[in-house]
Amino acid sequence: MSDTPSIDDLLLAWREDTLTPEQYEQLVARLASPEARRALVEEFTFAAVVRESAALSPPEVDEQLVAVNSEELESILASRASRIEVDGDFRSAPAAPMDFFGAARARPVLFSFKTLALRTAAVAAIVLVSATAVWRFGFVPDEPVPVSVLAPQPAAPVARVVSVAGALEVLSPDGTVRSAIAGEGVHRGQTLRTLGMDSYATVEFDDRTRLELSVDTTMRFGDSDVALGKRVYFAGGVLRADVARQPAGLPMVISSPQAEIRVAGTRFSVSSAASQATRIDMETGSVQLVRQSDGRTVEVTAGSYAVARADSDPVVVQKVPRFIASPRATFTIKNVSGVFADPRGNRIYAATVRGMQAWDSYARVDQQLFERFGDLTASAFAYAGRTVAIAAGREGRIHLWDLQAGRDRLVLNTPLSYSRVIAVAPDGSWVAAVNPRAENEFHLFDTVGGVDGIERFVVRIDEAKAIRALAVSASGTRLAVASHADKRIGIHRLYLYDPRTGQSMGALAGHASPVRSVAFSPDGRVLASAAEDGTLRLWNVAKRSLLLHIDGYEQSLNCLAFSSDGHRIAGGGNDGRVWIWDARTGNLEMVVNGGFRAVKSIALTPDNRYLAVAGFDTRMMVFELPVEAGTYRR
């Protein structure tokens, strides 16, 4: 046996006031060593703390507890003791610790009442032992006990919030939730969550690694130090990363429910629908993508993307055929409701709270048609290219704006204040609007009756929770309605109605998540629908059958637009990019990236040469699309 007293013996001697100067020196040395404190802390606090903290995984708890000070240990023990006492003994709680995504991690620990009592004494010993030694023995150790051992010290943040827009929440391991602000530190175990389409946040680490949380994104912070490397847990949303060069052998790790991404240093974005899949888009360099379910590993390089799902589908790395990142022009416009292209020319229009603004095909400001609309909530464009319907604010007014005349053609007074979803007939003869107080019904108003719009009919869809989008065919004979289904139904349908009578013309079913946007092809034969899970479906309207199912986007598509020949479909969403597919084959043809945090509205000019993109921020960009080999030209 060793002649060196055990930590139990030393603590017991201290409690009984029989500690010798030599034993005191041994005790101070034990408590001053980080390795010894790690072992001590793990031994008598690990089990209780892990089982009380469902938001932390074991490796993180190890590192977190090593840094705690004496008062924190004392508080931990006092708060945990009464919860785990069973028949006079203190035992680990029965439930297995849970990591961020709900996976059980078993680590059985069993310790007795006597052992816990002895370890508890260490807390007081850490604080009082130096003062006791000076008083009794006149002894001062050659090496001072670290301050972190003697006095409470706040844990250093692993990163800092450098910018915030909209709503950002911070969730702590103890369950508290509060708003976060720019400049504050983010600590291990804390979760950041952006809320709403206008929200985002940027977080920076000490080495200038930056993570940008886009709309509706949730991310939890794990370890971040020289010995362990950086680790974050990405639960869903869109995350953009600019990772500085990491120490050799210690890549930054970003984990999602479906995959683990190992990064040595590069720029990329990752998006995830928490229950579906994780997609990574590489800008520079390369990363390793590891699927959680089977450990399958692929390397994703610059200009490529890959999607990892929880099922057994292969993880395939695909090259983006063409990547466009340089806009022809950029404009700063506040509160854009929608962008539109005049089908008879090359003008691009934007509906804003200031009124209508127009550009010619080369993105020069052509004319500004200003008339304040008030609280602008929605806009819709007529295929005839003459009328834009504007829903403006609390008064329930709907403006019918004549683009050629540059003024209001008519202002309808309706009972629907703050309607956010509207549609207008190609000839401007009627307007449909969703009731914001009963979101599963829409009203259709005749515009021929003057300022007080005549309500033609009201349609209520009982099985829908809400109507998220409306679209009108070029002929004006079909109105498509996209629904968010009631949870009891669980099927998210598209409904077709005759706008002349309000009669149903059938339904299209197949989306597994709420439908966010719909669009008819120019000839009205095809209907495109996009859902929150990033899936895009193309339907044969006459037969009410599915033509194509396109996936891989993995984020909500907020807007859709067909090319004028109907051969291509463009979609913009929460990852800030516009993807353009071949509407006949479903093949991805190009990706347009203007650095938006999320895309709100898009429009293609009639010659298919220019793409206008408006974001949820204050920017609108116009991109020139490639035309070689006949692509995008009529």
Side-chain angles (χ1 to χ4, degrees):
M1 295 180 58
S2 172
D3 294 332
T4 303
S6 68
I7 188 69
D8 289 352
D9 294 336
L10 292 173
L11 291 173
L12 186 60
W14 178 82
R15 291 188 65 214
E16 295 176 349
D17 205 20
T18 60
L19 200 65
T20 67
E22 182 181 359
Q23 290 173 332
Y24 168 78
E25 198 170 354
Q26 293 171 347
L27 180 57
V28 169
R30 295 283 188 89
L31 297 177
S33 163
E35 291 77 13
R37 291 204 310 277
R38 176 193 294 269
L40 182 65
V41 167
E42 288 180 347
E43 204 172 337
F44 72 87
T45 64
F46 181 84
V49 174
V50 172
R51 283 157 173 74
E52 289 292 328
S53 182
L56 295 175
S57 58
E60 297 164 41
V61 177
D62 286 339
E63 291 304 311
Q64 187 183 55
L65 293 181
V66 169
V68 300
N69 53 61
S70 59
E71 289 190 6
E72 289 172 328
L73 288 180
E74 187 173 26
S75 174
I76 289 170
L77 289 175
S79 64
R80 301 289 194 269
S82 61
R83 304 183 190 179
I84 57 175
E85 184 175 6
V86 180
D87 298 330
D89 283 344
F90 282 78
R91 300 178 181 273
S92 60
M98 305 294 288
D99 66 13
F100 186 83
F101 303 112
R105 298 172 181 258
R107 181 166 178 176
V109 178
L110 187 66
F111 49 95
S112 67
F113 179 88
K114 176 182 176 181
T115 302
L116 183 62
L118 290 174
R119 301 298 191 273
T120 306
V123 177
I126 294 171
V127 181
L128 300 177
V129 72
S130 296
T132 302
V134 173
W135 174 66
R136 287 200 59 181
F137 307 110
F139 169 78
V140 178
D142 293 335
E143 295 295 330
V145 178
V147 174
S148 61
V149 177
L150 299 177
Q153 296 293 319
V158 297
R160 291 195 176 276
V161 179
V162 295
S163 64
V164 177
L168 176 66
E169 289 184 342
V170 56
L171 294 76
S172 296
D174 62 4
T176 59
V177 181
R178 61 177 176 81
S179 296
I181 60 173
E184 73 171 272
V186 184
H187 295 264
R188 188 166 36 238
Q190 287 187 327
T191 297
L192 293 182
R193 180 171 63 197
T194 55
L195 302 172
M197 296 302 295
D198 59 348
S199 297
Y200 68 90
T202 303
V203 178
E204 186 175 87
F205 293 82
D206 289 342
D207 65 353
R208 299 299 178 89
T209 290
R210 284 199 165 209
L211 302 178
E212 183 180 284
L213 289 73
S214 191
V215 298
D216 295 325
T217 298
T218 302
M219 182 175 68
R220 182 172 62 85
F221 289 78
D223 299 314
S224 181
D225 59 33
V226 175
L228 298 171
K230 300 179 182 67
R231 179 178 287 271
V232 296
Y233 299 90
F234 173 59
V238 178
L239 181 67
R240 297 181 181 88
D242 188 350
V243 181
R245 176 62 59 183
Q246 300 300 292
L250 292 174
M252 182 176 186
V253 177
I254 299 175
S255 294
S256 78
Q258 297 85 22
E260 183 176 275
I261 301 166
R262 299 170 184 169
V263 192
T266 188
R267 290 197 307 273
F268 62 94
S269 66
V270 57
S271 57
S272 175
S275 62
Q276 301 292 329
T278 296
R279 190 189 85 228
I280 182 168
D281 296 271
M282 293 303 302
E283 295 184 24
T284 64
S286 64
V287 301
Q288 281 190 329
L289 179 68
V290 184
R291 184 158 59 186
Q292 301 278 19
S293 60
D294 56 10
R296 175 173 170 75
T297 302
V298 296
E299 184 178 18
V300 190
T301 57
S304 301
Y305 71 97
V307 178
R309 294 183 173 82
D311 54 30
S312 59
D313 287 350
V315 181
V316 179
V317 179
Q318 301 183 65
K319 281 285 186 182
V320 176
R322 185 179 291 272
F323 193 82
I324 301 173
S326 299
R328 182 181 183 87
T330 301
F331 301 95
T332 300
I333 308 174
K334 293 184 178 180
N335 303 112
V336 174
S337 172
V339 291
F340 315 97
D342 186 343
R344 297 171 304 176
N346 283 330
R347 250 180 214 164
I348 297 169
Y349 296 91
T352 75
V353 291
R354 298 182 64 190
M356 296 300 299
Q357 190 164 350
W359 295 265
D360 69 9
S361 60
Y362 295 98
R364 294 190 296 261
V365 176
D366 183 37
Q367 63 184 74
Q368 297 183 12
L369 313 172
F370 288 146
E371 177 177 308
R372 296 188 68 85
F373 293 131
D375 298 327
L376 181 67
T377 58
S379 58
F381 188 73
Y383 275 96
R386 183 181 179 88
T387 302
V388 175
I390 306 292
R394 61 177 178 271
E395 297 88 1
R397 293 175 182 168
I398 298 179
H399 297 249
L400 296 181
W401 184 269
D402 190 314
L403 294 176
Q404 290 183 346
R407 57 180 173 78
D408 274 330
R409 168 185 152 194
L410 182 67
V411 178
L412 291 177
N413 295 317
T414 77
L416 305 181
S417 302
Y418 295 108
S419 179
R420 297 187 178 277
V421 182
I422 62 175
V424 59
D427 60 1
S429 62
W430 55 262
V431 174
V434 174
N435 184 352
R437 291 178 295 277
E439 291 187 303
N440 64 340
E441 71 177 33
F442 69 90
H443 299 231
L444 193 141
F445 301 93
D446 278 315
T447 62
V448 295
V451 295
D452 294 319
I454 300 173
E455 191 170 82
R456 188 181 295 182
F457 57 78
V458 177
V459 173
R460 183 182 183 89
I461 305 174
D462 291 330
E463 63 182 23
K465 180 180 179 181
I467 296 170
R468 296 302 188 203
L470 299 172
V472 188
S473 64
S475 64
T477 57
R478 289 186 175 92
L479 176 65
V481 180
S483 75
H484 179 173
D486 189 293
K487 290 183 178 180
R488 296 170 299 177
I489 305 298
I491 300 173
H492 306 277
R493 291 188 171 93
L494 298 169
Y495 301 89
L496 298 173
Y497 289 93
D498 186 335
R500 296 163 295 189
T501 63
Q503 295 297 310
S504 172
M505 301 177 72
L508 305 169
H511 279 291
S513 67
V515 180
R516 290 293 300 270
S517 52
V518 286
F520 279 98
S521 62
D523 60 10
R525 296 178 180 179
V526 178
L527 177 67
S529 59
E532 289 183 358
D533 61 3
T535 57
L536 173 64
R537 290 173 180 257
L538 301 181
W539 308 86
N540 182 311
V541 176
K543 297 180 179 179
R544 295 195 294 277
S545 61
L546 182 65
L547 294 173
L548 274 178
H549 173 91
I550 303 173
D551 58 15
Y553 187 79
E554 308 309 333
Q555 267 299 306
S556 178
L557 282 163
N558 303 319
C559 49
L560 295 171
F562 274 97
S563 60
S564 59
D565 57 10
H567 292 170
R568 290 162 185 87
I569 178 74
N574 283 357
D575 75 340
R577 306 179 183 203
V578 178
W579 286 35
I580 301 176
W581 295 272
D582 188 314
R584 298 160 295 183
T585 65
N587 293 331
L588 178 66
E589 293 203 341
M590 67 183 67
V591 174
V592 178
N593 182 18
F596 295 96
R597 295 183 176 91
V599 175
K600 189 174 189 178
S601 181
I602 58 176
L604 282 162
T605 55
D607 61 0
N608 303 313
R609 186 177 177 186
Y610 296 100
L611 172 71
V613 184
F616 278 87
D617 50 18
T618 59
R619 293 177 301 158
M620 189 194 85
M621 295 183 181
V622 178
F623 295 87
E624 186 170 5
L625 302 179
V627 295
E628 60 267 23
T631 303
Y632 294 100
R633 276 199 188 277
R634 287 189 293 176

